[in-house]
């Protein structure tokens, strides 16, 4: 490893010159992981806790059915659109500074959301959360990436972190249920504040990052503008398609604008001296395969959370708390797949042999959910489906985390971390819009075909409920196909062997550079 790279990664956390595989005392590394994990848990919780609170918040603030999606979409647009910029700023300012600033801003935006008095204030607060989340997430992931460089330690750390990232969303449903049912929906926002304070104070005292680890190249302003506008146009295009149809002129215009802007972004990045996103980060075969397969998997999973939440509450009549507990098997499956299968095997077998089968196991779980009916048994159908989904996704995430930025230079770790999250944030927004559009179309068609034969009010209500279930299962069929495609991509594009144990790999020019890995944000 070169002297500069060694210094940057070795002293990233902890006192300069301290012992440890990455120059950080073991206790400090694991303490830092704890505080970073708290921040990650806050972000992931926030993504799903709002789903539980949304019906109550919608009624209290007078948000229309047509506008309620903006509670989710405003966050996704800001987060997904600004992640690359946030990652670059973390490289420029320093990861610790960006991490603490992101936490402070996220907490302030959460307080604003909890105090919202109308829909405009709520949408603005959610967008502001997305802005600071886009700074916080890449900083957190790049800190973790350079901190754990030993193969076995990295597997253990990412197993813990991956379980939080994967299962945190479902935990958010439980916490959201308690807060909404026994306190008030506003507490689903206020709860972020103590998380942020603890993580920020801990980071301030534990993390010690030297200035030498920064990338002080001039900021690529054209790249920032083109990437942000291109990603926002893409996400908004899918969101618009959900409410106004795929043939709507604005929808088509957004997709065309996104394609032009992102193509221009790639052209600019290939020519500028200090690009926002060095193309070498995404053109490497294995990293490209990881970004693409994980993005597709999130498309499948994001819509599912929303469908199951509404199925359990609206169709089955579950309370918010009971709905949250109903997701526990998925959490257990993710934790088991992440810490007991993925983390134990990721240093022994090639990543594709965990990613591909993991996505296929999740697809089988998703396939079971296509059999949902109004009277379906939780124990006989939903329980095994959720267990398989959790096991499969947890197992697949672990090697993907390790491989996502393997071999990336330390000065690029922020934008590489941001790229992992961008693929998933955009995937989540696309998944919500795309699968909801499919579900809504199927529901409308079913109700139109069957409502005529319903004579009484109770029969009409039954048709409406059956129409909703029909919509969910139709969309889930598409999700099954998407997961299968993700598995095929992982098995064919990802051709790396099992990860090496040493903390450095050789670069083409003969020097050594840090091998870093980035965990996943699953919203």
């Amino acid at each position: 490893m070169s002297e500069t790279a060694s210094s940057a990664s070795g002293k990233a956390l902890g006192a300069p010159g301290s012992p440890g595989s990455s120059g950080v005392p073991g206790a400090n590394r694991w303490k830092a992981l704890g505080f970073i994990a708290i921040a990650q848990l806050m972000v992931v919780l926030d993504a799903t806790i709002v789903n539980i609170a949304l019906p109550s918040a919608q009624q209290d603030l007078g948000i229309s059915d047509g506008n309620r999606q903006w509670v989710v979409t405003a966050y996704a647009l800001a987060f997904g659109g600004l992640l690359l910029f946030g990652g670059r700023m973390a490289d420029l300012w320093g990861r610790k500074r960006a991490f603490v600033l992101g936490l402070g801003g996220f907490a302030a935006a959460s307080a604003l959301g909890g105090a919202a008095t109308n829909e405009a204030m709520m949408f603005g607060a959610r967008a502001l959360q997305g802005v600071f989340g886009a700074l916080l997430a890449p900083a957190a992931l790049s800190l973790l990436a350079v901190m754990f460089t030993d193969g076995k330690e990295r597997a253990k750390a990412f197993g813990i972190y991956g379980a939080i990232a994967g299962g945190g969303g479902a935990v958010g449903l439980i916490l959201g249920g308690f807060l909404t049912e026994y306190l008030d929906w506003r507490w689903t926002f206020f709860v972020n504040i103590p998380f942020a304070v603890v993580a920020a104070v801990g980071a301030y005292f534990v993390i010690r990052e030297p200035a030498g680890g920064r990338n002080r190249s001039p900021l690529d302003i054209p790249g920032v503008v083109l990437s942000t506008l291109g990603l926002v146009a893409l996400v908004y295009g899918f969101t618009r398609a959900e409410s106004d149809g795929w043939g709507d002129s604005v929808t088509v215009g957004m997709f065309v604008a996104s394609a032009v802007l992102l193509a221009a972004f790639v052209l600019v990045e290939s020519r500028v001296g200090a690009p926002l996103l060095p193309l070498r980060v995404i053109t490497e075969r294995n990293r490209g395969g990881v970004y693409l397969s994980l993005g597709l998997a999130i498309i499948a999973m994001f819509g599912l959370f929303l469908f199951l939440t509404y199925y359990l509450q609206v169709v089955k009549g579950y309370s918010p708390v009971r709905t949250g507990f109903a997701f526990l098997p998925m959490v257990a499956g993710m934790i088991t797949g992440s810490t007991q299968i993925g983390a134990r095997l990721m240093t022994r077998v090639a990543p594709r042999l965990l990613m591909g089968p993991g996505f296929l196991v999740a697809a089988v779980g998703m396939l079971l959910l296509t059999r949902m009916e109004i009277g379906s048994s939780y124990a006989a159908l939903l329980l095994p489906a959720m267990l398989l989904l959790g096991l499969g996704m947890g197992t697949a995430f672990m090697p993907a985390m390790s491989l996502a930025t393997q071999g990336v230079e330390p000065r690029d770790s922020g934008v590489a971390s941001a790229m992992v999250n961008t693929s998933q944030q955009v995937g989540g927004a696309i998944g919500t819009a795309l699968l909801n559009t499919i579900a809504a179309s199927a529901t409308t068609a079913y109700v139109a075909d069957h409502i005529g034969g319903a004579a009484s009010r109770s029969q009409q209500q039954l048709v409406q409920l059956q129409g909703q279930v029909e919509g969910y299962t139709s969309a889930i069929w598409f999700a099954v196909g998407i997961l299968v495609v993700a598995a095929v991509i992982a098995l064919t594009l990802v051709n790396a062997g099992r990860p090496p144990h040493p903390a450095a790999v050789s670069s083409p020019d003969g020097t050594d550079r840090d091998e870093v890995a980035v965990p996943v944000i699953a919203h």
Side-chain angles (χ1 to χ4, degrees):
M1 184 184 301
S2 67
E3 184 177 350
T4 302
S6 178
S7 174
S9 65
K11 299 178 183 178
L13 296 174
S18 55
S21 68
S22 59
V24 183
N28 267 15
R29 283 199 302 279
W30 295 104
K31 284 179 184 177
L33 171 63
F35 293 122
I36 293 171
I38 289 172
Q40 168 72 350
L41 180 61
M42 178 189 72
V43 174
V44 177
L45 283 176
D46 187 77
T48 53
I49 203 171
V50 173
N51 285 338
I52 290 288
L54 185 54
S56 298
Q58 179 184 354
Q59 182 177 4
D60 197 15
L61 299 179
I63 302 174
S64 67
D65 287 343
N67 285 340
R68 71 180 178 187
Q69 64 175 337
W70 283 102
V71 177
V72 175
T73 304
Y75 179 89
L77 286 174
F79 202 153
L82 292 171
L83 268 167
L84 287 177
F85 177 61
R88 178 64 181 87
M89 296 314 295
D91 287 337
L92 179 63
W93 290 344
R95 300 171 188 121
K96 174 183 174 179
R97 183 179 300 173
F99 182 68
V100 174
L101 179 60
L103 282 168
F106 199 94
S110 298
L112 184 65
T117 57
N118 53 56
E119 64 178 29
M121 192 172 173
M122 170 61 73
F123 299 157
R126 288 291 286 163
L128 202 57
Q129 280 185 315
V131 170
F132 284 102
L135 179 63
L136 168 63
L141 301 184
S142 56
L143 277 171
L144 189 67
V146 298
M147 187 167 45
F148 292 94
T149 53
D150 175 76
K152 290 185 177 179
E153 279 199 350
R154 185 172 65 249
K156 183 178 180 181
F158 288 171
I160 295 170
Y161 196 93
I164 293 172
V171 173
L173 296 172
I174 300 173
L175 183 59
F178 270 106
L179 294 174
T180 302
E181 190 164 336
Y182 296 115
L183 291 175
D184 186 81
W185 66 264
R186 297 181 185 278
W187 283 97
T188 62
F189 286 88
F190 292 146
V191 75
N192 290 331
I193 298 173
F195 280 104
V197 170
V198 170
V201 171
Y204 180 81
F205 287 107
V206 173
I207 296 175
R208 299 290 184 270
E209 186 188 13
R214 301 180 190 175
N215 182 349
R216 299 184 183 274
S217 301
L219 186 62
D220 173 21
I221 299 298
V224 170
V225 173
L226 290 171
S227 66
T228 301
L229 292 179
L231 290 171
V232 166
L234 179 64
V235 174
Y236 184 63
F238 277 98
T239 303
R240 180 89 182 186
E242 179 184 1
S243 57
D244 294 82
W246 296 95
D248 176 68
S249 59
V250 176
T251 301
V252 175
M254 286 293 107
F255 287 134
V256 172
S258 174
V260 172
L261 288 165
L262 293 178
F265 171 68
V266 172
L267 182 62
V268 168
E269 298 307 277
S270 67
R271 296 189 176 187
V272 298
L276 173 68
L277 176 64
L279 296 183
R280 60 181 177 271
V281 172
I282 59 174
T283 54
E284 197 274 327
R285 174 173 177 164
N286 289 286
R287 282 196 293 271
V290 167
Y291 296 154
L292 185 56
S293 60
L294 282 180
L296 287 171
I298 294 299
I299 288 176
M301 289 294 291
F302 227 74
L304 179 69
F305 270 122
L306 195 59
F307 294 150
L308 284 181
T309 299
Y310 274 89
Y311 172 76
L312 291 171
Q313 289 195 50
V314 176
V315 178
K316 302 292 287 184
Y318 283 21
S319 68
V321 172
R322 190 180 178 189
T323 299
F325 277 106
F327 279 92
L328 277 180
M330 187 181 296
V331 178
M334 285 183 176
I335 292 174
T336 302
S338 180
T339 63
Q340 302 303 311
I341 302 175
R344 290 177 181 272
L345 295 180
M346 64 181 281
T347 57
R348 302 179 184 179
V349 301
R352 67 179 181 275
L353 298 182
L354 290 173
M355 292 177 63
F359 289 138
L360 289 176
V361 169
V364 172
M366 197 82 77
L367 186 64
L368 290 178
L369 292 177
T370 61
R371 300 171 56 198
M372 278 196 314
E373 297 176 355
I374 293 178
S376 293
S377 165
Y378 176 85
L381 181 65
L382 271 66
L383 176 62
M386 288 187 179
L387 283 172
L388 288 172
L389 276 164
L391 278 172
M393 297 302 282
T395 300
F397 279 171
M398 282 312 304
M401 292 175 188
S402 181
L403 192 59
T405 57
Q406 181 174 309
V408 170
E409 299 171 19
R411 63 191 176 95
D412 292 334
S413 63
V415 293
S417 302
M419 186 60 206
V420 177
N421 289 289
T422 297
S423 68
Q424 291 173 79
Q425 288 301 322
V426 173
I430 292 173
T432 300
L434 177 63
L435 296 181
N436 274 351
T437 301
I438 295 169
S441 298
T443 296
T444 300
Y446 181 90
V447 171
D449 289 343
H450 294 80
I451 197 69
S456 65
R457 182 175 178 82
S458 61
Q459 289 177 330
Q460 291 175 353
Q461 291 176 339
L462 186 63
V463 169
Q464 293 285 352
L465 287 178
Q466 186 60 47
Q468 289 187 41
V469 175
E470 188 73 18
Y472 300 154
T473 55
S474 297
I476 290 171
W477 271 111
F478 278 85
V480 171
I482 292 170
L483 279 175
V484 171
V485 172
V488 171
I489 289 173
L491 289 169
T492 54
L493 285 186
V494 178
N495 63 354
R498 66 184 181 88
H501 286 275
V505 294
S506 295
S507 60
D509 59 6
T511 60
D512 289 338
R513 57 190 180 185
D514 287 314
E515 177 190 345
V516 295
V518 176
V520 175
I521 285 189
H523 281 204

